[in-house]
Amino acid sequence: MPTDPPLPHPPATRYGPGFAAHGTRHRKPKNGLVIAGFLVGLAALGVAFVPVAGLAAWPLAVIGMILSVIGLTKIKKGEADKKGMGIAGLALSIAGLLAAGGLLVYTSFFATGESGLHIPAVAGDKNTVEFVVSASGGATIRFGSLNDQRTETTPASTDEWRGTASFNSGDYLLTVTADTRNSSVSNQIACTILVNGQKVAENKGQTIALCTAGTG
């Protein structure tokens, strides 16, 4: 009696983590967060040492750290890959944050002024600055650069008051403002700024005098 041929067995399948129902391995999605964190961290470290633009290193470093940490969390859960790039992005962000912080500390405590403008003058600097004020009735004086101001007072005297600063290189906006300390006294005030002995600004007034000049 004839019998039907046996039906073929279905192909063997492998089941388990990382495999689909038909034996193909699941591919983890690419991790855009760690890529973004790496690029932002690299940018933070790159601008950390650039004058003025270095301020952008702070928010960039924080954003890079956040993106990298979230991306690494997804990797730990098995939802994404690129662990090496995530660790590198986190390291770059931390390095950018430390570099920006170190530069701020150096500028505040060692450079003693705006990007190398020293107040008072430091021996050995290539360029010198003199702030000169005369005020017979005395005055309150604010002098220095746009971002680094010092304050002094002068007694009622005909003698000139002088303040000093120095720098090696760079372009700074120098300012000196003098205003009378006694509004009831007629007080003729004059101010002058000299860079390397050359007069670059002067002004005078009855109760206030303001001088500004660039070094560039």
Side-chain angles (χ1 to χ4, degrees), residues 181-214:
R181 293 186 287 111
N182 190 344
S183 59
S184 64
V185 175
S186 179
N187 191 9
Q188 186 72 23
I189 302 177
C191 65
T192 305
I193 299 177
L194 300 97
V195 177
N196 296 325
Q198 300 295 317
K199 187 182 297 183
V200 294
E202 63 178 341
N203 195 8
K204 60 183 178 180
Q206 190 63 36
T207 57
I208 187 171
L210 168 65
C211 291
T212 61

Side-chain angles (χ1 to χ4, degrees), residues 29-52:
K30 292 183 177 179
N31 200 336
L33 287 172
V34 297
I35 297 174
F38 177 85
L39 294 175
V40 174
L42 185 63
L45 184 59
V47 302
F49 300 98
V50 179
V52 182

Side-chain angles (χ1 to χ4, degrees), residues 78-170:
E79 299 174 356
D81 56 4
K82 298 188 180 298
K83 182 177 180 180
M85 183 172 285
I87 294 173
L90 183 60
L92 286 170
S93 299
I94 294 173
L97 197 62
L98 292 175
L103 190 62
L104 179 64
V105 170
Y106 174 81
T107 302
S108 300
F109 295 99
F110 297 99
T112 323
E114 178 195 3
S115 301
L117 181 68
H118 300 90
I119 307 173
V122 173
D125 280 356
K126 297 177 181 178
N127 303 286
T128 60
V129 179
E130 280 190 287
F131 304 93
V132 184
V133 172
S134 61
S136 58
T140 299
I141 301 169
R142 288 170 291 275
F143 67 101
S145 67
L146 185 63
N147 295 329
D148 186 6
Q149 293 279 308
R150 310 297 170 87
T151 302
E152 291 191 15
T153 58
T154 65
S157 170
T158 57
D159 296 335
E160 289 183 336
W161 171 92
R162 289 178 179 266
T164 63
S166 63
F167 62 97
N168 283 312
S169 61

Side-chain angles (χ1 to χ4, degrees), residues 13-95:
T13 6
R14 292 183 63 187
Y15 296 95
F19 287 87
H22 297 290
T24 57
R25 182 181 291 273
H26 282 302
R27 297 191 64 183
K28 294 179 182 179
K30 292 183 177 179
N31 200 336
L33 287 172
V34 297
I35 297 174
F38 177 85
L39 294 175
V40 174
L42 185 63
L45 184 59
V47 302
F49 300 98
V50 179
V52 182
L55 295 173
W58 293 93
L60 287 173
V62 172
I63 293 171
M65 290 173 64
I66 293 172
L67 292 173
S68 298
V69 168
I70 295 175
L72 288 170
T73 301
K74 291 184 65 177
I75 293 170
K76 189 174 181 180
K77 292 179 179 179
E79 299 174 356
D81 56 4
K82 298 188 180 298
K83 182 177 180 180
M85 183 172 285
I87 294 173
L90 183 60
L92 286 170
S93 299
I94 294 173

